[in-house]
């Protein structure tokens, strides 16, 4: 989903490559190569590492859109004695970078019609990509609130008003304009905010691995098998992010 990952081959290109490989193999004898003693032609950390998302500036959101998303993230994941809130955790930064990349334009997905309502197990089946969904949805929320809340934007509402609006949006009670399904849009935002909160900090969210520390999750540690079977015991070591691995920085 991330813009930071290398672009995968398209399905058509993959199938074409397989077909060419088969044809090439049928044209002459194939010489097999064997390796003994575990000496494979492979070097550790040879893959391209993910690049650290740096805060500062917005790649997709406008200032007003970012302000709305940060406020929504803070109500979906409010700060408490266990952890920081969604805004401080960088959920909006994470989502901004995703929408500015391949996730936002659905470049790795099949996006041709026909577009028909899907089953609950199929997820979203519409024509709009995530970037279009957010642009339309945030504009519809802003227009609705300005019409029904005295011209206020979401971030300007009281915390009680924000919670009430999101509760009604989730329940499908808010009728947004611009052909936006409020309930569906709420679920999209909720899923993305949760991703930003729990994903590796290398992608822009989960500041200081706050959610991992809250859960006792080891993160990107190489091996923690000795602790898997120790039920109801907290993991004794701090989590590790991909971004904190020294060998990635050497790339």
């Amino acid at each position: 989903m991330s813009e930071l990952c290398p672009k995968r081959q398209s399905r058509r290109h993959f199938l074409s490559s397989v077909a060419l490989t088969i044809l090439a193999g049928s044209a002459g004898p194939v010489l097999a190569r064997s390796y003994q003693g575990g000496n494979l032609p492979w070097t550790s950390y040879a893959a391209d590492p993910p690049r650290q998302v740096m805060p500062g500036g917005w790649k997709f959101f406008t200032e007003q859109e970012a302000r709305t998303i940060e406020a929504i993230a803070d109500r979906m994941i409010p700060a408490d004695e266990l952890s920081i809130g969604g805004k401080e955790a960088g959920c909006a930064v994470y989502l901004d970078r995703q929408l500015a990349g391949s996730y936002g334009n659905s470049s790795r997905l099949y996006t041709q019609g026909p577009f028909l309502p899907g089953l609950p197990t199929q997820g979203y089946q519409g024509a709009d990509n995530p970037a279009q969904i957010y642009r339309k949805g945030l504009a519809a929320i802003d227009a609705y609130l300005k019409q029904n809340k005295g011209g206020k934007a979401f971030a300007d509402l009281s915390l009680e008003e924000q919670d009430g609006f999101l509760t009604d949006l989730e329940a499908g009670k808010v009728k947004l304009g611009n052909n936006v399904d409020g309930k569906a849009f709420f679920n999209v935002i909720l899923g993305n905010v949760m991703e930003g909160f729990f994903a590796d900090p290398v992608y822009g969210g989960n500041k200081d691995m706050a959610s991992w520390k809250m859960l006792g999750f080891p993160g990107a540690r190489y091996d923690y098998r000795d602790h898997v079977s120790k039920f109801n015991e907290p993991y004794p070591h701090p989590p590790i992010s991909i971004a904190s691995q020294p060998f990635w920085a050497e790339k």
Side-chain angles (χ1 to χ4, degrees):
M1 166 172 149
S2 173
E3 69 189 290
L4 308 177
C5 300
K7 186 176 182 181
R8 298 178 182 173
Q9 293 180 329
S10 66
R11 182 172 180 270
R12 181 184 297 275
H13 185 276
F14 172 77
L15 294 176
S16 300
S17 300
V18 173
L20 289 174
T21 302
I22 295 174
L23 290 173
S26 64
V30 178
L31 301 178
R33 180 180 298 178
S34 62
Y35 296 93
Q36 298 180 350
N39 296 319
L40 297 177
W42 172 81
T43 303
S44 60
Y45 314 128
D48 292 333
R51 289 174 291 173
Q52 174 72 55
V53 167
M54 303 303 295
W58 301 104
K59 306 297 185 182
F60 173 80
F61 291 131
T62 65
E63 289 293 336
Q64 180 59 38
E65 290 171 339
R67 190 164 174 259
T68 299
I69 285 295
E70 286 185 325
I72 290 176
D74 239 17
R75 299 318 301 154
M76 289 182 167
I77 305 179
D80 57 18
E81 68 280 2
L82 298 177
S83 175
I84 59 178
K87 176 180 178 179
E88 186 178 353
C91 294
V93 176
Y94 163 85
L95 181 52
D96 176 75
R97 303 309 193 265
Q98 297 300 319
L99 290 173
S102 58
Y103 170 72
N105 57 36
S106 295
S107 63
R108 299 178 182 177
L109 299 177
Y110 178 83
T111 57
Q112 303 303 311
F115 301 104
L116 301 173
L119 299 173
T121 54
Q122 294 177 311
Y124 177 72
Q125 300 290 310
D128 291 339
N129 59 38
Q132 294 167 325
I133 291 173
Y134 270 89
R135 195 118 280 161
K136 290 182 179 179
L138 292 175
I141 287 177
D142 190 59
Y144 176 89
L145 292 176
K146 287 182 176 179
Q147 182 177 358
N148 294 276
K149 294 293 182 179
K152 292 183 178 180
F154 181 85
D156 297 324
L157 301 176
S158 68
L159 299 184
E160 291 74 17
E161 289 176 317
Q162 290 179 357
D163 289 345
F165 173 77
L166 291 177
T167 298
D168 289 343
L169 191 67
E170 180 183 19
K173 297 179 180 179
V174 177
K175 304 303 179 183
L176 299 176
N178 204 19
N179 293 320
V180 174
D181 184 331
K183 183 175 182 179
F185 187 44
F186 174 91
N187 290 327
V188 170
I189 299 175
L190 177 61
N192 290 151
V193 167
M194 291 175 63
E195 291 169 6
F197 192 66
F198 291 109
D200 193 288
V202 74
Y203 299 110
N206 193 10
K207 179 183 177 182
D208 298 327
M209 297 174 284
S211 66
W212 293 358
K213 293 174 182 176
M214 176 183 67
L215 298 175
F217 179 65
R221 284 185 173 275
Y222 172 71
D223 189 358
Y224 49 92
R225 287 173 294 177
D226 292 342
H227 301 276
V228 171
S229 60
K230 296 179 181 179
F231 302 110
N232 299 320
E233 294 184 22
Y235 186 68
H237 306 297
I240 291 179
S241 164
I242 294 175
S244 65
Q245 300 299 312
F247 47 77
W248 288 133
E250 295 171 0
K251 288 288 184 177

